[in-house]
Amino acid sequence: GAFFSTADLDVHPPGSFSTALAAPEEEVLEVDHWLAVGFCFVGSCFLVFLFFFMQYMIYVIIFCFCLGGASCIAQFGAICLNHLFPALRNKSINCPVVGPLLHAEVLAGIPAAILVTSWVILRNTPHGWPFQDIIGAGFLCWLQRTLRLPNIKIATLLLSAMFFFDIFWVFISPLFFHESVMVRVATGGGTGESVPMLLRIPAFGDPFGNDRLLGFGDIALPGLLVSYLRRHDLLSRRSLKAGYFAPALVGYFFGLCATIAALCIMKMGQPALLYLVPGTLGTTMVIATCRKEVHLLWEGTPAKDEGSDAEDSDDMLSEEGRGNGGI
C-alpha cells in the first residue's frame, strides 16, 4: 500500500512503472479531522444497522464486494498493460453504462471476472480464502492509492478514535446488545455467510479448525499511517534505517503477533487495533520523541538531516564558485 501511496512523488523517474501507478490528483482524498471523526461515527451506525438487519444486507454486501473487487483488480491490470504495451491504450468498445473502454481495460477485466466468479462459487468452502484475500488486497491497495493522511496530528485523531471504537464494539457492546456486535457482524450474523470485508487465513494445524480473520479496517487504518511515514521518509530523503517507515512496519508485525497470541489465549474475537495502534502510532511517537522531531511529523513537514543540509551547502558553494569564475 505504501508503494501505491508514494507513486506520485518526484523521487521516481518519469515514465517509470511507479509513476504509472500514481492516482490522478482529482482522485486523491486527503483525510481531515471531520472525516476522521465521521469515519468513527458512521462506522458505529453501520455496525448497529448490520447487527439488526444482516439477514437482509448480507447479499448486498457480497454484491458490492464482487463489483468493487472486480473494478479494482481490472483497473490495476489495465494500468500494468498500458505501461507495458502502449498500443493497448486505444479505444476498444463503447459500453452504454460504463462508457468507452480501452483494449487494456477489456483484457484486464477477463481475469478479474474469473477471480470474482471463483470466489462466489467457492466462498463457503475451504478453498475460497485465496480468492477473497486477493480481491481484498486489491481493495486495500486502491484505498492506499487514493486516501492520504496529511500529518501525524490527523493520524493520531483517526487511530485514537478507532482504537476505542474497536474496543467498545468487541468487548463492551455485549453489555448493551447481549453479544459482541463486531464479532456477530464479522461472522455473518447467523445467515450462513461471512462478511467478505476481511482477510481469511486458515489456521493450519489448529485442532479447532477456525480461520484467522483480519478486518479491512485493521489493515487500512494503520496502513494509512505507514504510507504517510513512507512519504515523509522519501520527502526527507531518508533511508529505511534512518526513517520511520521500517519501525512502523516492525511495530505492526509485533502488534499482529500480539493479536494472534491474545486470540489463542482468550479463545474469543479480539479488537486488533488494541494492539496495532500502539505498535504503529506508539512506536512512531516514541522514536520521534527521541529524535526531537515530533513537531515535524505533527505538522507534516519533511525533515532535513545534516547530510542533506551539507550536500545543499556544497551545491550552493559550487554554484557560487562557477559564477565567480565566469566574472
Side-chain angles (χ1 to χ4, degrees):
F3 176 77
F4 293 97
S5 177
T6 58
D8 64 311
L9 296 180
D10 294 336
V11 296
H12 303 295
S16 65
F17 181 64
S18 297
T19 57
L21 288 173
E25 187 176 351
E26 62 271 12
E27 293 183 9
V28 176
L29 177 62
E30 190 172 272
V31 180
D32 58 13
H33 63 283
W34 289 112
L35 186 58
V37 175
F39 190 85
C40 183
F41 176 77
V42 173
S44 297
C45 294
F46 192 59
L47 267 181
V48 174
F49 177 77
L50 291 180
F51 180 79
F52 289 107
F53 299 102
M54 179 59 78
Q55 63 270 29
Y56 307 108
M57 294 298 297
I58 184 64
Y59 292 106
V60 176
I61 294 172
I62 291 175
F63 174 77
C64 293
F65 177 77
C66 293
L67 186 63
S71 175
C72 291
I73 294 172
Q75 289 186 63
F76 277 131
I79 291 172
C80 296
L81 290 174
N82 283 330
H83 179 74
L84 297 174
F85 308 101
L88 295 178
R89 298 175 183 175
N90 296 326
K91 178 181 175 182
S92 177
I93 59 174
N94 192 3
C95 185
V97 178
V98 180
L101 296 176
L102 306 180
H103 287 291
E105 293 172 334
V106 175
L107 291 176
I110 296 174
I114 294 174
L115 184 65
V116 170
T117 302
S118 300
W119 175 79
V120 171
I121 297 172
L122 301 173
R123 69 184 186 278
N124 292 322
T125 70
H127 310 291
W129 68 270
F131 302 101
Q132 180 170 327
D133 290 353
I134 293 172
I135 297 171
F139 264 122
L140 293 169
C141 289
W142 197 263
L143 179 67
Q144 297 293 324
R145 180 176 180 261
T146 56
L147 198 62
R148 292 177 190 164
L149 292 172
N151 48 52
I152 284 289
K153 178 167 57 178
I154 299 298
T156 301
L157 175 62
L158 174 63
L159 291 177
S160 298
M162 298 309 296
F163 174 83
F164 293 105
F165 167 95
D166 220 15
I167 294 174
F168 178 85
W169 291 113
V170 175
F171 285 155
I172 303 178
S173 62
L175 299 176
F176 304 95
F177 298 90
H178 307 294
E179 62 179 314
S180 173
V181 172
M182 185 76 77
V183 173
R184 179 174 174 83
V185 169
T187 55
T191 61
E193 300 281 355
S194 296
V195 173
M197 277 67 174
L198 44 82
L199 298 186
R200 289 171 51 196
I201 303 174
F204 299 104
D206 186 351
F208 298 100
N210 295 322
D211 290 347
R212 303 288 185 253
L213 306 178
L214 189 64
F216 283 2
D218 300 327
I219 303 171
L221 295 173
L224 289 174
L225 171 63
V226 173
S227 295
Y228 163 74
L229 295 175
R230 181 56 178 161
R231 291 182 68 87
H232 189 273
D233 287 350
L234 290 175
L235 291 173
S236 302
R237 299 182 180 181
R238 285 184 170 177
S239 63
L240 288 177
K241 184 179 179 180
Y244 293 94
F245 171 70
L249 277 183
V250 174
Y252 185 90
F253 172 76
F254 281 105
L256 193 58
C257 291
T259 305
I260 296 174
L263 185 65
C264 295
I265 294 171
M266 300 183 187
K267 298 294 188 295
M268 61 180 295
Q270 294 294 310
L273 293 180
L274 172 63
Y275 311 97
L276 297 176
V277 170
T280 52
L281 182 61
T283 300
T284 300
M285 296 305 291
V286 168
I287 295 175
T289 301
C290 294
R291 294 176 179 175
K292 299 181 179 180
E293 294 179 349
V294 173
H295 64 287
L296 296 177
L297 291 176
W298 194 256
E299 299 298 336
T301 306
K304 290 186 178 181
D305 291 336
E306 294 180 0
S308 61
D309 290 342
E311 184 179 346
D312 293 341
S313 298
D314 292 342
D315 292 339
M316 292 176 63
L317 289 174
S318 61
E319 289 179 0
E320 290 178 0
R322 286 195 297 269
N324 292 332
I327 295 177

